[in-house]
Amino acid sequence: MIQRFAYPVPVLSMVTNEVLNFLYETHGHRILQWNDLLLNPAALEDYAHAIFNKGAPLRNCFGFIDGTIRPICRPGENQRFVFNGHKRLHSLKFQSVAIPNGLIANMYGPVEGKKHDSGMLTDSGLMAELEGRAYSTDGQAMCLYGDPAYPLRVHLQAPYRGAQLTEQMKFFNKSMSATRVSVEWLFGDIVNYFKFVDFKRNLKIRLSSVGKMYLVCALLHNSHTCLYGNLTSEFFGVAPPTLQQYFG
């Protein structure tokens, strides 16, 4: 970037932070809050139909919820708050809702790396949004599907747990898992498009806006999907909105 723009590193850093702040403050609500463009009753029905057509047993599942762990550089203070014991690394966590058109419809975070997914769900207030808004055009409750870390609710489903499962239960878990993998594709897309969010040596929480950076990258990922689509939208056969619609 120094060769391209003929500016020293401090200037490039200030410009980058200014753009980062502008995108977050101006358009961050499109991914941090319930988005009526993406999550209206008619759209939820279309998503659920696409997921069901891919072999999912649930007829009212419109998307998938999951937490992602983003490694960061070990901080000098309060290390235990950001240490994730399961992955054995220092990290920040985010909660994402992925929908069949290839977009991340909602994201919550960052939170400390030690936070459990169920605790993050409670803090996000997403369940209250689902209970108030996640319904089809005829009033049927629509749900998200998550991993076993999430509680079972009318608007939130999870796999069957336990060692003694019937063949039908195993089939349900396997079928839903095959469609839920689309969440991991979206997380992978963000890291592939924005390599620096995967370079933990430079992700120092007291020196840079690490959490804000990942959220803006997710927003830009949605923008890229609006223009070109992605593997998830092709898999489910649901086209994303245009860029003008998304930012309209």
Side-chain angles (χ1 to χ4, degrees):
M1 292 180 69
I2 294 175
Q3 295 176 348
R4 175 173 293 182
F5 297 107
Y7 283 107
V9 170
V11 174
L12 291 174
S13 181
M14 288 188 290
V15 171
T16 300
N17 286 333
E18 188 69 22
V19 173
L20 185 74
N21 291 331
F22 172 80
L23 289 174
Y24 180 82
E25 294 169 5
T26 308
H27 300 290
H29 65 278
R30 303 184 190 281
I31 199 169
L32 292 172
Q33 300 174 11
W34 187 273
N35 192 327
D36 287 324
L37 169 68
L38 303 176
L39 301 173
N40 60 78
L44 298 185
E45 288 183 347
D46 291 340
Y47 303 152
H49 185 68
I51 293 173
F52 179 73
N53 283 344
K54 279 297 177 181
L58 289 174
R59 291 179 175 270
N60 65 331
C61 174
F62 70 87
F64 305 96
I65 183 172
D66 198 10
T68 181
I69 298 172
R70 297 311 318 152
I72 61 172
C73 183
R74 184 177 63 184
E77 299 177 354
N78 300 319
Q79 297 178 9
R80 64 187 181 90
F81 289 106
V82 294
F83 184 76
N84 183 278
H86 178 63
K87 296 291 186 179
R88 308 295 297 175
L89 47 78
H90 296 87
S91 62
L92 297 177
K93 292 188 72 174
F94 297 84
Q95 173 185 279
S96 300
V97 173
I99 50 179
N101 62 6
L103 298 184
I104 297 174
N106 181 269
M107 182 172 278
Y108 173 75
V111 300
E112 60 273 21
K114 70 173 185 177
K115 194 85 171 182
H116 193 268
D117 285 355
S118 60
M120 190 161 49
L121 174 69
T122 301
D123 294 345
S124 69
L126 179 62
M127 285 307 305
E129 293 281 5
L130 292 172
E131 291 168 0
R133 304 193 186 199
Y135 296 92
S136 64
T137 54
D138 59 0
Q140 178 188 6
M142 308 297 284
C143 70
L144 293 171
Y145 184 81
D147 60 31
Y150 293 101
L152 282 173
R153 299 289 187 272
V154 173
H155 296 278
L156 180 60
Q157 297 295 304
Y160 287 101
R161 303 170 175 88
Q164 298 180 345
L165 300 180
T166 66
E167 290 302 319
Q168 287 183 325
M169 292 177 178
K170 293 178 181 178
F171 175 77
F172 176 91
N173 288 354
K174 183 178 180 180
S175 300
M176 291 304 300
S177 177
T179 53
R180 184 181 168 275
V181 72
S182 59
V183 179
E184 305 298 334
W185 296 343
L186 296 185
F187 292 155
D189 284 345
I190 295 175
V191 174
N192 287 333
Y193 291 143
F194 306 98
K195 299 290 187 182
F196 56 87
V197 299
D198 200 35
F199 188 60
K200 69 177 185 179
R201 284 188 178 182
N202 280 357
L203 300 179
K204 301 176 182 180
I205 56 177
R206 290 186 177 271
L207 296 179
S208 58
S209 304
V210 179
K212 184 185 294 184
M213 191 182 302
Y214 187 79
L215 289 167
V216 170
C217 287
L219 180 67
L220 293 176
H221 162 268
N222 280 358
S223 305
H224 186 274
T225 300
C226 290
L227 289 171
Y228 305 107
N230 60 20
L231 186 61
T232 301
S233 63
E234 293 176 4
F235 176 74
F236 288 108
V238 180
T242 65
L243 197 64
Q244 290 76 14
Q245 290 172 331
Y246 186 66
F247 286 98

